Amino acid sequence: MSDALRLYVYHDGVRVGMAESADSLQWMPAFDDLGEFKLVCAATETNRALLVLDAVLYNPDTPGLAAVVLAAEADGDNHRMTVRGKFSLCLFKRRTARGSRTITDGAAGLLEVCRTNLRGLGVAVPDAVGFVASCEETVAWADCASAAVQLMQAGGFGGRVRFDPATAAQTLELLQGKDRSVPGTALYNGYFSTRMQNLSGAVYTQDASDYANVVLCGGEEPGENDSFTRYFCELGDMTASGNARRELWVDGSSVRHKYTVQNADGTTSDAEYSEAEYQAAVQNYARAALKNHMSTRQLKCTAANTNLIYGTDYELGDLVPVR
C-alpha cells in the first residue's frame, strides 16, 4: 500500500512531510458525525517525527478533508506504529457550548454554537448557510463537537471542517445530501447491485429490540422552597395502542428551571424558564431520548469504485439506489 498512499503531514499549519512505509490506512469520513482514521506504518525515524499528537493529516484522495492525530502507539518489537484520530470537526470538542439554548433550526443553531464559543480556535465559521434544518433540540453545556453532531443528526444535514492544503486554513462547512435515486433526473447516475458487479457482501438487518414509540418524561422535582410542581409529559405516536404501543420512561430531572446563558461579551448570567418554556425544554429532552430508541433497517455492504465513482457520481450524504 505504501507505493500508492499519499498522506501529507502538517504541524502548526506548516506542511512538514509525508508519511512513509504504510501497511494500511482506514480513512473513514462521516456525513453527520466526526469520522475517524487508523494508520499502521513502519516506525521509521521520519514517521516518529511526523506522526505526533495534534499533527494534521491530509489525504488528497478526499479533497478538502483533513484529520487530527489523537493517539499514537509504537510497537518496539515489530517496529510498527499505529496512529489513530478523527477528522477536523473534532477540534470543536476543545470548546464548551456555554449555557443552555433551545434550537429550532439545526443549521443556524450549529453555526451560532460554534461561532460564539470559538475563543481563538483556528477554524473559521461562516455567518449563515443557505438552508433551514428544522428540529427541536436543547443544547446545554456540551462540548461543541457533540452539539454539532446532535444538531446535524436531528436536522438531517452534514458538516465538516474544510481544509485548504495550500494554506492549512480550516473552515466549518455545512452540507446537504442530494437525492440521486430517481432515474431520468439530472442527479441520477446509476445504482449499486450485485448484477452490476459494484456491490458485494450485502447484509440486510431489521432490529426492533430497543424500539419505543411513546416517551413518558418527568422534569425537575421541586425542593422545599420551590413553588412549582413536577412536570410530566407523554409524547410520540399517540395513536399506538395495545401491543403496538411501546413505552419509554425518561428521567428529565436534569432539565432545570434555572439555567445559565452566555452573554454577547462572553460572560454568563443566570436565567429562569417561564413555565411554557420549561415544558418545551422537557419535551425536547424527551423527544431526543425517544430518537435513540427507533427501529432500524440497515444494509451493510462493500461498494466497488466502478460504474459509480465516489467523489464524482456521489458523495457522503447522497441518496443512491441499491437493487
Side-chain angles (χ1 to χ4, degrees), residues 275-292:
E275 188 56 31
E277 290 170 338
Y278 180 76
Q279 291 180 11
V282 173
Q283 291 171 16
N284 289 339
Y285 185 88
R287 289 190 185 95
L290 186 60
K291 287 178 183 176
N292 293 325

Side-chain angles (χ1 to χ4, degrees), residues 5-310:
L5 176 67
R6 293 178 299 159
L7 200 59
Y8 299 106
V9 184
Y10 292 74
H11 290 176
D12 298 322
V14 177
R15 194 166 96 179
V16 292
M18 187 166 64
E20 62 184 18
S21 304
D23 296 329
S24 65
L25 173 65
Q26 298 176 41
W27 190 257
M28 299 171 286
F31 179 65
D32 58 2
D33 210 330
L34 301 184
E36 60 186 5
F37 78 91
K38 176 183 176 183
L39 169 69
V40 179
C41 58
T44 64
E45 183 177 349
T46 295
N47 282 342
R48 292 197 306 272
L50 292 178
L51 300 173
V52 297
L53 299 185
D54 274 349
V56 172
L57 308 185
Y58 177 70
N59 181 354
D61 290 338
T62 53
L65 286 178
V68 181
V69 174
L70 300 177
E73 175 184 296
D75 182 346
D77 291 339
N78 295 309
H79 306 290
R80 316 311 294 168
M81 288 182 68
T82 301
V83 182
R84 294 180 173 86
K86 295 183 181 296
F87 287 86
S88 297
L89 190 61
C90 75
L91 292 171
F92 283 100
K93 200 169 185 67
R94 304 179 184 191
R95 294 295 183 270
T96 297
R98 293 176 174 174
S100 176
R101 46 174 66 77
T102 298
I103 294 171
T104 56
D105 178 351
L110 190 157
L111 295 182
E112 186 273 334
V113 165
C114 292
R115 186 188 310 110
T116 57
N117 292 287
L118 277 175
R119 293 185 285 281
L121 189 69
V123 181
V125 178
D127 293 329
V129 65
F131 61 89
V132 173
S134 298
C135 66
E136 293 183 65
E137 295 292 313
T138 298
V139 173
W141 290 102
D143 71 80
C144 290
S146 296
V149 171
Q150 174 188 345
L151 294 171
M152 288 189 296
Q153 294 180 354
F157 63 98
R160 63 181 179 181
V161 168
R162 172 171 282 279
F163 181 81
D164 183 342
T167 65
Q170 302 192 90
T171 305
L172 180 61
E173 186 175 70
L174 304 188
L175 309 166
Q176 283 186 302
K178 296 179 174 64
D179 185 352
R180 302 184 181 276
S181 65
V182 183
T185 61
L187 294 175
Y188 180 80
N189 290 315
Y191 60 90
F192 289 103
S193 77
T194 53
R195 186 161 60 90
M196 295 292 291
Q197 297 184 340
N198 59 3
L199 186 83
S200 62
V203 177
Y204 179 69
T205 305
Q206 292 180 285
D207 188 350
S209 58
D210 198 33
Y211 173 60
N213 53 17
V214 175
V215 59
L216 312 175
C217 183
E220 180 182 6
E221 295 191 56
E224 287 185 10
N225 299 321
D226 292 321
S227 59
F228 62 86
T229 57
R230 192 178 191 189
Y231 171 68
F232 291 90
C233 64
E234 183 176 332
L235 304 166
D237 183 2
M238 305 312 294
T239 65
S241 62
N243 290 345
R245 180 181 170 98
R246 301 194 184 190
E247 296 180 351
L248 170 71
W249 163 252
V250 173
D251 182 359
S253 59
S254 61
V255 182
R256 305 288 186 177
H257 285 75
K258 295 180 180 180
Y259 63 99
T260 303
V261 295
Q262 183 177 6
N263 303 314
D265 62 0
T267 62
T268 59
S269 56
D270 294 331
E272 185 170 355
Y273 287 119
S274 68
E275 188 56 31
E277 290 170 338
Y278 180 76
Q279 291 180 11
V282 173
Q283 291 171 16
N284 289 339
Y285 185 88
R287 289 190 185 95
L290 186 60
K291 287 178 183 176
N292 293 325
H293 293 268
M294 300 174 68
S295 61
T296 60
R297 293 183 296 172
Q298 184 180 66
L299 174 67
K300 288 187 176 182
C301 58
T302 299
N305 208 31
T306 56
N307 299 320
L308 286 177
I309 307 300
Y310 174 67

